[in-house]
Amino acid sequence: MSELKLMLVAGARPNFMKIASIANAVSAFNRSPSKTKLRQIIVHTGQHYDEMMSHTFFRDLGIPKPDIDLGVGSGSHAQQTAEIMKRFEPVLMRILPDVVLVVGDVNSTIACSLVAAKANYPPGSSPRVRPLIAHVEAGLRSFDRSMPEEINRILTDALADLHFLTEKDAARNLIREGISKNKLHWVGNTMVDTLLRHRSQASKSTILSQLGLVKPSGEMGASNKRRSGSKADCPQERCLDYALLTLHRPGNVDNRKSFQEILEALLVIAPRIPILFPTHPRTMARIREFGMERHFRFGSIVVHGDKATPQIHCMPPLGYLDFVCLMSNARLILTDSGGIQEESTVLGIPCVTLRENTERPVTLSEGSNVIGGTTKGSIVRHALLQLKAKRSNKLPRYWDGKAGNRIVKLLVRECGKIRP
Ligand code: UD1
């Protein structure tokens, strides 16, 4: 019986859904009759640290408690990346894992990859000189280097030994950057694994009634009539119509002019459909800094007849199950997040991406997403069109809930072959 030490790195909110799928696949693999067993070590960098940005996800998703918490916290990009590297290196050199698995495109992803790539294990301490670096969600490109995430993606992929891909275009991007085809593995989407696994549990969330969005019995929302028999299966049959918004990209909210432009679009959309807005801490800080509070409603949602007040309703960040429930029942999703574009595709909910590009083109070609841009006219036009859109039922290849299992099997196979 041989043992492989697999270190899973997570740091920020969108990482937790991805490592949940891997941790789950590791448990399943260890129950199988394989002669290899995996020892999993979860490292939380602490890039996100608030209860609602971090800990609640471990509970909701049943992820084992992190073995190591680096407790890094916020800072400028350089400070945060450097601090993660400083704290990760001694942990790596103590545990000497066979594989460091990183996910997505956040600062924790590049910081830990860089440490792993330059590690030099003491002679005789391990069959390897350094760990293999596995990148989950490799090859996605927005071709916009003003996004910190794009820099993180390119650099992490340049360092990785194994690239796990969610969509076909990712392979083209990596080959163009000179990455060998042998390192690429099209496995599907770990975030989708987690969504499919928790969808039915999310349907039991009481968030809609907590927000006062459930109609008295007898009436049924237009969206739910339209949706009956479709993929969105949260059984909140009588919820009011609403759009769900997330917005936190530095390019959208850190600059007053850009934020104001998006806000003006939202103020045109809100009278047609109330907007629910779980607000990221970065965005809440900017709303205050720019004195924009008067445009948002804080506190409980007021319902007149069968309509919520036509406003943008700010609320604190939500836990995973509550958020999935809100996505599943939304008539429209407005977002600048990457993962939510993918989740809306799986749920079939029309989505408008509040950016000029996407690194996830499959959500446009095979999903329910459109690029809405960042100017008022373009956002409003796309939102109104998407409000009339038919639901999409297509799912990209391998978005079937089994990506984590494929990754774990490949890790075991490739670990035997590649010895850096
Ligand atoms: C990070 C990721 C982004 C991802 C997003 C999801 C990078 C470069 N960006 O952006 O790709 O989409 O996470 O949320 O890694 N803060 C808190 N509590 C927390 C975490 C952050 O209050 O638990 C505040 C801090 O004031 C911090 C700010 O939010 O300065 C931004 O956090 P940071 O980790 O720097 O980046 P995000 O914008 O969250």
Side-chain angles (χ1 to χ4, degrees), residues 283-327:
T283 312
M284 189 48 79
R286 297 297 167 264
I287 290 174
R288 295 211 178 93
E289 185 186 324
F290 299 150
M292 292 172 167
E293 292 97 328
R294 68 182 186 286
H295 298 297
F296 297 90
R297 184 180 169 86
F298 299 87
S300 58
I301 296 173
V302 179
V303 175
H304 297 292
D306 64 355
K307 286 196 168 57
T309 39
Q311 282 172 308
I312 310 168
H313 299 268
C314 276
M315 59 192 77
L318 296 170
Y320 184 73
L321 299 174
D322 288 343
F323 190 75
V324 169
C325 182
L326 282 194
M327 277 197 295

Side-chain angles (χ1 to χ4, degrees), residues 78-329:
Q79 283 165 348
Q80 192 175 56
T81 309
E83 202 54 45
I84 297 168
M85 290 179 71
K86 273 161 66 184
R87 296 188 193 191
F88 183 63
E89 186 176 43
V91 169
L92 186 82
M93 295 308 284
R94 178 163 55 79
I95 298 178
L96 305 172
D98 296 287
V99 183
V100 169
L101 181 142
V102 294
V103 297
D105 54 16
V106 303
N107 287 341
S108 303
T109 312
I110 176 60
C112 295
S113 302
L114 195 47
V115 172
K118 292 186 179 178
N120 197 0
Y121 289 171
S125 62
S126 160
R128 300 162 202 283
V129 174
R130 64 162 178 85
L132 282 181
I133 302 165
H135 185 204
V136 172
E137 213 182 80
L140 298 183
R141 296 290 181 269
S142 64
F143 304 101
D144 173 2
R145 290 203 183 196
S146 70
M147 289 176 74
E149 294 83 359
E150 183 75 351
I151 308 290
N152 294 342
R153 290 180 199 120
I154 294 168
L155 298 182
T156 303
D157 283 333
L159 300 173
D161 302 292
L162 294 165
H163 301 74
F164 294 119
L165 317 185
T166 53
E167 56 176 275
K168 204 174 175 184
D169 277 16
R172 232 189 320 263
N173 297 336
L174 290 169
I175 289 166
R176 200 184 301 119
E177 289 172 21
I179 312 272
S180 155
K181 257 189 187 167
N182 302 335
K183 295 180 171 183
L184 315 188
H185 305 276
W186 187 8
V187 291
N189 192 317
T190 51
M191 197 173 225
V192 172
D193 292 356
T194 297
L195 178 61
L196 296 178
R197 191 176 160 84
H198 289 85
R199 213 167 144 190
S200 111
Q201 208 185 336
S203 72
K204 299 188 184 96
S205 156
T206 57
I207 187 70
L208 287 168
S209 48
Q210 282 176 52
L211 292 172
L213 292 170
V214 178
K215 281 185 189 175
S217 50
E219 299 167 64
M220 193 166 159
S223 61
N224 287 295
K225 276 185 213 152
R226 197 188 54 239
R227 197 179 299 148
S228 51
S230 74
K231 290 191 298 171
D233 57 2
C234 271
Q236 318 278 354
E237 291 193 332
R238 292 169 284 107
C239 79
L240 307 180
D241 279 347
Y242 61 86
L244 182 63
L245 167 70
T246 77
L247 190 70
H248 75 278
R249 294 262 155 225
N252 280 342
V253 302
D254 283 359
N255 173 294
R256 182 196 291 270
K257 207 161 155 260
S258 315
F259 196 171
Q260 184 70 34
E261 181 82 17
I262 294 172
L263 176 60
E264 281 177 24
L266 298 173
L267 291 170
V268 175
I269 298 164
R272 308 204 181 215
I273 182 157
I275 299 175
L276 306 190
F277 184 23
T279 315
H280 187 285
R282 168 194 287 282
T283 312
M284 189 48 79
R286 297 297 167 264
I287 290 174
R288 295 211 178 93
E289 185 186 324
F290 299 150
M292 292 172 167
E293 292 97 328
R294 68 182 186 286
H295 298 297
F296 297 90
R297 184 180 169 86
F298 299 87
S300 58
I301 296 173
V302 179
V303 175
H304 297 292
D306 64 355
K307 286 196 168 57
T309 39
Q311 282 172 308
I312 310 168
H313 299 268
C314 276
M315 59 192 77
L318 296 170
Y320 184 73
L321 299 174
D322 288 343
F323 190 75
V324 169
C325 182
L326 282 194
M327 277 197 295
S328 306
N329 287 280

